[in-house]
Amino acid sequence: MRYDVPKVCTMLEKGGVVALPTETVYGLAASIKFPHAIDQIFALKKRPSDNPLILHVASFEQAKQYCAEVPSGVQVLEETFWPGPLTLVLKAKPGLVPENATAGLDSIAFRVPNHPLTLQVLEAAGPLVMPSANLSGKPSATRAEHVEADFGEAFPVLDGGACRFGMESTVLVFRNARWEIARMGAISSEEFVHVLGYEPKERLGTNGSPPISPGQKYRHYAPFALLILDRTVLPEDVGVVIGFNDRKYPESCRLFSLGSSGDAREVSRNLYHVLRELDMRNVAQAWVDMDFPKAGLWLTVAERLSKASQKM
Ligand code: TXA
Ligand code: MG
């Protein structure tokens, strides 16, 4: 069910859970004043309790109230990217945010989202915890309809239209005097170079090191369809292609287009919608055209496709 800003604020102030739009993906929001509402988010999503939630705030000033320390670079990062698709993991002042939200960690992930409606809600009823508004393991929701597909038509949604980035925020963590990427996202590692003076490296739990971002260890973003990523040549028996609108594929194939092969921003914006379309149309398997640059935002697209192709 679609509600307006005053109504969702009232619901949040009473301890309810609502879905809100952001520029990245839709989020399932609860006020940190209501630990039981936070529990309800985990239950609704079927999310493992060891996977902490991002605290969404209206400004950096608000985030600072919850931080035990503010490492070097935070100010320039927030001035450059907030409001926007960047999440910063910072050491928490103990006792201010319910433990179920932080999964018992001594840090909190913060973000100031860039959506006019949700900024109004945050001003009135924030701070809010907000994981992506999808069932755990499914592609994130980038439209109000996606939220309703996962949680039912009656679920309260503030409709802010299709998300402008359509890809989650990039999560940065400060470790050993450097910023590292805990989750790849809408801002590519190259985009930090002019701000930090170096390119943050990924700490995704590969090469034997544990993930810094607990969510990285779970399967994610997956439609029911089997995605075939590992073949450069389209297998003959697969009639469905996830590809680009400026490429030619065999006429017998049905194309689910991600957009132009020259526009990573457009492709990342469309990705989850396309993955959800496969389920809507009961597609059993699809071949994915992985012939795109392995740089910039394309790396995030490749990482999401790789996770989406993993089966339980
Ligand atoms: O774009 C986004 O970030 C969206 C919108 C709604 O803001 N939110 C989102 O939340 O993607 P979620 O819960 O789906 O993903 C949050 C990620 C998870 O991988 C989680 O493990 C990580 O952030 N995270 C949260 N708190 C953390 C912490 N204290 N340390 C390390 N990673 C953390
Ligand atoms: Mg998520």
Side-chain angles (χ1 to χ4, degrees), residues 31 55 88 133 182 190 197 209 256:
S31 161
L55 190 67
L88 295 174
E190 287 96 323
S209 63
F256 286 74

Side-chain angles (χ1 to χ4, degrees), residues 24 47 51-52 54 56 107 109 111 131-132 168-169 183 212-213 215:
T24 59
R47 180 180 177 106
N51 192 2
I54 297 173
H56 292 70
S107 59
R111 180 163 114 77
S132 51
E168 297 86 347
S169 61
R183 178 182 69 182
I212 325 174
S213 215

Side-chain angles (χ1 to χ4, degrees), residues 25 45 47 51 131-134 138 140 168 183 220-221:
V25 299
K45 280 181 65 77
R47 180 180 177 106
N51 192 2
S132 51
N134 54 278
K138 289 281 127 200
S140 298
E168 297 86 347
R183 178 182 69 182
H220 267 99
Y221 321 114

Side-chain angles (χ1 to χ4, degrees), residues 2-73:
R2 314 283 167 102
Y3 291 109
D4 61 7
V5 168
K7 178 70 183 165
V8 296
C9 288
T10 307
M11 294 170 95
L12 288 164
E13 291 289 9
K14 286 186 177 161
V17 175
V18 301
L20 301 179
T22 82
E23 80 285 24
T24 59
V25 299
Y26 276 73
L28 275 193
S31 161
I32 56 169
K33 289 190 279 190
F34 300 99
H36 71 270
I38 299 172
D39 276 340
Q40 206 191 329
I41 287 183
F42 281 91
L44 278 164
K45 280 181 65 77
K46 301 190 172 67
R47 180 180 177 106
S49 61
D50 68 351
N51 192 2
L53 308 180
I54 297 173
L55 190 67
H56 292 70
V57 287
S59 66
F60 177 49
E61 287 311 306
Q62 201 173 43
K64 274 200 286 197
Q65 299 169 27
Y66 298 88
C67 293
E69 55 195 60
V70 178
S72 78

Side-chain angles (χ1 to χ4, degrees), residues 103-119:
L105 298 178
D106 62 358
S107 59
I108 299 177
F110 293 93
R111 180 163 114 77
V112 182
N114 191 6
H115 192 290
L117 298 180
T118 292
L119 282 171

Side-chain angles (χ1 to χ4, degrees), residues 22 34 38 58 75 98 100 107-108 144 148 172 174 224 228 259 272 302:
T22 82
F34 300 99
I38 299 172
Q75 196 159 343
N100 54 355
S107 59
I108 299 177
E148 289 160 349
L172 288 189
F174 195 68
F224 287 109
I228 302 165
Y272 295 138

